[in-house]
Amino acid sequence: MSVSTRLAEIRPARSASIDAFWGMLLRDLTVLRRSMGAFVVRTIAQPLMFVFVFTYVFPKIGQGVGGQGAGATAFSSLLVPGVVAIACVFQGIQAVALPLVQEFGYTREIEDRVMAPLPVWGVAIEKITSGALQGALASVVVFPLATFIPATPVRLDINWLELLTFLPLATAVGAALGLAIGTRAEPRQVPLVFSIIVIPVTFLGATYYPWAQLDPIPWLKWAVLLNPLVYMSEGFRTALTPQFPHMPVAAIYLGMAGFLVFLGWLGIAGFKKRVLS
Amino acid sequence: MAVETAEAPASRPIENAVIQTRALTKVFAGSIRAVDGLDLSVSEGEIFGLLGPNGAGKTTTVGMLTTRVLPTSGDALVAGMNVVENPNAAKQLIGVVSQSNTLDRSLSVWDNLYFHGRYFGMSAPDARGRASELLERFRLSDRAAAEIDALSGGMAQRVMLARSIVHRPRILFLDEPTAGLDPQSRLALWDVLSELHSAGQTILLTTHYMEEAEQLCHRVAIMDHGKLLALDSPTRLKESVGADTEVRVAADGDLEKLADCLRSFEGATHTAVVDESVRVYLRGSAGVLPRVVDHAEGAGFTVKDLSLSEPTLESVFINLTGRDLRE
């Protein structure tokens, strides 16, 4: 055996960091490509059941949300943005938080990436980027489900400018939420994460009803503003189904940007704390 | 018994040192001084060992040199660069094998090497070639497609080592590389390390196995409680014990008294009570065992077990601390 005589030369920090970032993104996408089946299953299971029961079964048996005829059509259209927004949050949990809990936990798998020549915060940003890409893919997978399964026609009126700006923002917020959770939760706390974060966030995220219609319950209307999913759902609502009442567009941008900065900061700080001592 | 270190061991700075620490100190929360004013210099091409019991500060020292632990004070330099000020460049020059299996479980063996190369800026063809080349050298080619969880401990350790040198680091840090390995895997790993070294690789390894330090290292720094106790070649360190024979005596009764009694034994330089036996250090080994038994039994002790060896690095550690490496 002989070690190559050619030893590493120091490259400028900037280009070394960019290469390392790209290498990690490539790694995440390779892992995703190889587990595409599992990705699709975990992405569609919940929305598929939800859309099927509420917008196909209920109208057919003449029961439930929105009633029949115009009401049912309204509800199935209303649900589309909520289902897409939930997909972004679920990807943040499944593509970022859960793998990180393992990588930080017993196996310390993250170590090799932390030793790559880029700053520790760069590794954290890579995680958000890769989570956001997976969130975008999940939205694309979920969208046709919510559009074509309902028994009653879905009415969409797409504002492309809003859609193409809200989508990256929403997926990044979902991934940043995943990073914040993943860097702080211990493996044994994962079931708790679902009970105390994921379930309340999804049910109270203006996903199954427009936020503006919460007027009869003012305390709830204001309390849920602390839920990042509200801005994601409202964003997709104005972009896909503007016929429903929604939050002012500026407030949605501001809410998403604010949560992206806050959760990103929380996640990066948590990440640093886990790998540096 | 416990010998006080008369003076701090000589740690003269070496010209062209590739690893250097100056008064390196790490105090963790709760004011635990894990590393306390450490001065080390390692020269290019050297295999350097940090030997000490668990908790001596070896892993923390490696952590600081490899940018993952931030020093409380002092300097850690790699290839002349301060790793705190310039972590990016430092990371490009070092390879790290940590204590536990940190291989990427989502990837195959081959992928682990390939993506490591990509993280360090290698092109796809370069990384591909390097991954295959190293797996072949480490006799792991037949495991290229294997999942990480299917590897034995020894194999995983070899894959970690192969991964750590994909980017051709100038300096390799190994933290307890053979902890938990069976003897055969340990020997295999020692072979690989010797081969790497013969090609000019600088290696710093931590270990609490004295055999490992003796077999592999050109120089050994003995650490305890975050401090450097001694630093020299294994041979010179062993000479510092001042004896050429170590006799272990296990007996019933008060071992401290037995140690006192054996100190007057002819040729004995000193004794120590360690690990439920008395160690007697002597000059000259001819016919010594029966006379030790006579001496001990003459003083009313019943000898249960007796063995004789040359002093080891553990003898040096006992000499310095009064404890053995496992305690």
Side-chain angles (χ1 to χ4, degrees):
Chain A
M1 178 162 76
S2 68
V3 172
S4 168
T5 45
R6 201 154 49 87
L7 288 175
E9 294 293 330
I10 302 178
R11 300 160 58 231
R14 197 184 149 81
S15 58
S17 297
I18 291 170
D19 284 347
F21 186 92
W22 177 240
M24 287 174 203
L25 207 53
L26 213 60
R27 177 248 175 227
D28 287 350
L29 295 178
T30 303
V31 172
L32 173 66
R33 182 166 50 81
R34 290 189 189 153
S35 54
M36 197 44 100
F39 171 83
V40 170
V41 170
R42 78 179 188 213
T43 301
I44 66 172
Q46 192 267 359
L48 178 68
M49 287 301 120
F50 197 88
V51 171
F52 178 69
V53 171
F54 282 88
T55 68
Y56 182 84
V57 177
F58 277 18
K60 289 268 180 199
I61 64 177
Q63 173 194 330
V65 204
Q68 279 171 303
T73 302
F75 186 67
S76 52
S77 305
L78 178 71
L79 211 51
V80 175
V83 163
V84 172
I86 288 181
C88 295
V89 165
F90 265 51
Q91 277 317 305
I93 304 292
Q94 287 170 321
V96 183
L98 298 186
L100 270 182
V101 167
Q102 179 192 325
E103 290 171 354
F104 277 128
Y106 178 68
T107 65
R108 302 284 306 166
E109 277 167 80
I110 200 77
E111 202 131 291
D112 190 46
R113 275 162 275 166
V114 170
M115 287 314 300
L118 86 165
V120 171
W121 57 260
V123 184
I125 301 257
E126 187 279 330
K127 278 280 162 201
I128 295 181
T129 310
S130 126
L133 285 175
Q134 299 189 47
L137 189 61
S139 312
V140 171
V141 170
V142 160
F143 181 73
L145 289 184
T147 313
F148 298 113
I149 290 180
T152 54
V154 167
R155 214 186 99 215
L156 298 178
D157 184 4
I158 299 174
N159 178 332
W160 285 100
L161 178 69
E162 284 177 4
L163 182 62
L164 293 179
T165 47
F166 284 138
L167 184 67
L169 265 174
T171 55
V173 170
L177 175 69
L179 186 74
I181 294 171
T183 53
R184 282 175 161 77
E186 300 294 335
R188 64 191 158 77
Q189 295 168 330
V190 167
L192 265 183
V193 165
F194 276 89
S195 309
I196 65 176
I197 299 180
V198 178
I199 292 177
V201 160
T202 48
F203 274 89
L204 300 175
T207 43
Y208 310 129
Y209 45 84
W211 174 79
Q213 282 181 356
L214 282 178
D215 280 336
I217 323 170
W219 66 267
L220 186 65
K221 187 174 180 183
W222 296 107
V224 296
L225 291 180
L226 294 174
N227 181 351
L229 183 57
V230 166
Y231 306 93
M232 296 155 78
S233 306
E234 288 290 298
F236 288 122
R237 191 156 288 129
T238 84
L240 300 171
T241 55
Q243 67 270 29
F244 296 107
H246 54 74
M247 203 182 267
V249 173
I252 300 172
Y253 278 115
L254 201 68
M256 278 204 223
F259 268 106
L260 180 58
V261 170
F262 173 67
L263 293 170
W265 169 79
L266 208 61
I268 291 169
F271 197 96
K272 279 187 171 169
K273 214 169 149 189
R274 292 299 287 265
V275 299
L276 297 175
S277 52
Chain B
M1 263 299 295
V3 181
E4 289 292 311
T5 31
E7 71 245 55
S11 53
R12 59 212 172 277
I14 297 172
E15 299 247 341
N16 307 325
V18 287
I19 302 172
Q20 202 169 11
T21 69
R22 290 195 291 244
L24 190 61
T25 300
K26 178 66 185 182
V27 183
F28 283 112
S31 62
I32 302 155
R33 298 184 87 80
V35 176
D36 194 357
L38 192 68
D39 290 303
L40 289 178
S41 288
V42 179
S43 46
E44 182 114 47
E46 193 171 24
I47 302 191
F48 189 92
L50 287 180
L51 177 71
N54 291 328
K58 300 167 298 191
T59 299
T60 306
T61 302
V62 170
M64 287 191 278
L65 284 164
T66 57
T67 75
R68 290 164 302 169
V69 178
L70 297 171
T72 308
S73 63
D75 295 318
L77 291 91
V78 164
M81 277 175 315
N82 188 315
V83 301
V84 177
E85 289 162 11
N86 213 342
N88 191 298
K91 284 179 185 175
Q92 293 184 49
L93 295 180
I94 64 177
V96 183
V97 177
S98 45
Q99 233 173 89
S100 54
N101 176 354
T102 61
L103 294 168
D104 195 331
R105 308 305 199 267
S106 309
L107 300 172
S108 71
V109 167
W110 189 90
D111 285 335
N112 262 276
L113 272 59
Y114 170 77
F115 281 106
H116 181 94
R118 299 302 304 265
Y119 302 161
F120 282 83
M122 294 171 86
S123 68
D126 278 358
R128 250 183 241 128
R130 184 78 174 147
S132 302
E133 171 201 345
L134 283 172
L135 286 186
E136 192 155 318
R137 273 189 200 163
F138 283 66
R139 292 175 284 281
L140 288 161
S141 295
D142 55 334
R143 291 303 182 130
E147 288 190 14
I148 299 307
D149 288 328
L151 299 176
S152 69
M155 268 184 203
Q157 200 65 4
R158 254 157 53 217
V159 177
M160 295 247 292
L161 190 55
R163 181 179 72 174
S164 73
I165 60 168
V166 167
H167 61 292
R168 302 183 171 88
R170 285 182 62 188
I171 306 151
L172 193 54
F173 289 93
L174 305 161
D175 194 7
E176 299 278 358
T178 64
L181 293 191
D182 57 89
Q184 204 182 348
S185 302
R186 179 172 303 162
L187 288 177
L189 202 76
W190 287 358
D191 282 346
V192 175
L193 290 178
S194 303
E195 287 169 45
L196 278 177
H197 164 257
S198 64
Q201 178 81 62
T202 307
I203 299 174
L204 184 145
L205 63 88
T206 76
T207 184
H208 67 282
Y209 295 114
M210 53 162 187
E211 298 93 341
E212 191 155 278
E214 285 193 44
Q215 284 279 325
L216 287 174
C217 299
H218 303 143
R219 286 192 306 146
V220 174
I222 297 183
M223 283 183 79
D224 193 31
H225 299 310
K227 290 195 159 138
L228 184 63
L229 299 184
L231 170 63
D232 217 325
S233 67
T235 315
R236 298 258 288 274
L237 284 171
K238 287 186 282 181
E239 283 168 8
S240 73
V241 174
D244 54 24
T245 305
E246 176 185 311
V247 177
R248 291 186 196 201
V249 187
D252 290 328
D254 186 343
L255 293 179
E256 293 290 347
K257 277 193 182 147
L258 177 59
D260 281 344
C261 154
L262 286 169
R263 208 163 294 144
S264 63
F265 182 76
E266 187 195 340
T269 57
H270 55 288
T271 59
V273 178
V274 177
D275 196 20
E276 293 175 21
S277 69
V278 177
R279 314 268 171 115
V280 188
Y281 297 94
L282 308 143
R283 287 187 216 279
S285 61
V288 83
L289 286 184
R291 288 191 288 120
V292 167
V293 176
D294 288 347
H295 196 89
E297 295 194 336
F301 291 92
T302 311
V303 175
K304 291 193 302 188
D305 195 13
L306 198 63
S307 67
L308 178 146
S309 64
E310 288 184 3
T312 61
L313 287 180
E314 187 169 48
S315 319
V316 181
F317 187 79
I318 291 169
N319 215 13
L320 292 167
T321 66
R323 295 176 290 121
D324 73 5
L325 282 167
R326 283 173 307 246
E327 280 176 42

